[in-house]
Amino acid sequence: MSILRPGDEKFHYSDGSHRWVPPGPDYDQEVWDEQVRQHKLGHLRNEQPKVRIQRLV
């Protein structure tokens, strides 16, 4: 599960998937691709462990 921060809305569709199409026709696709790539790296840096290991005593 990734963490959405304020401002992340422009990188996501309403279903939470990533938006690979630039927000406007005048937006450079290569620039947008790099911004989405950096955004996805931000998700990975903030990702929490999905499984919690407990030690039974």
Side-chain angles (χ1 to χ4, degrees), residues 3-10:
I3 299 168
L4 291 179
R5 297 175 305 264
D8 283 353
E9 300 84 17
K10 70 180 183 178

Side-chain angles (χ1 to χ4, degrees), residues 4-50:
L4 291 179
R5 297 175 305 264
D8 283 353
E9 300 84 17
K10 70 180 183 178
F11 295 109
H12 292 269
Y13 289 109
S14 60
D15 68 355
S17 63
H18 282 96
R19 183 184 302 262
W20 289 100
V21 177
D26 296 332
Y27 212 98
D28 185 272
Q29 180 70 52
E30 289 182 29
V31 171
W32 180 253
D33 289 344
E34 179 61 21
Q35 288 178 334
V36 173
R37 189 183 76 74
Q38 292 292 324
H39 167 77
K40 288 182 74 174
L41 286 173
H43 281 308
L44 293 174
R45 284 190 299 271
N46 293 318
E47 191 172 60
Q48 300 296 319
K50 294 179 179 154

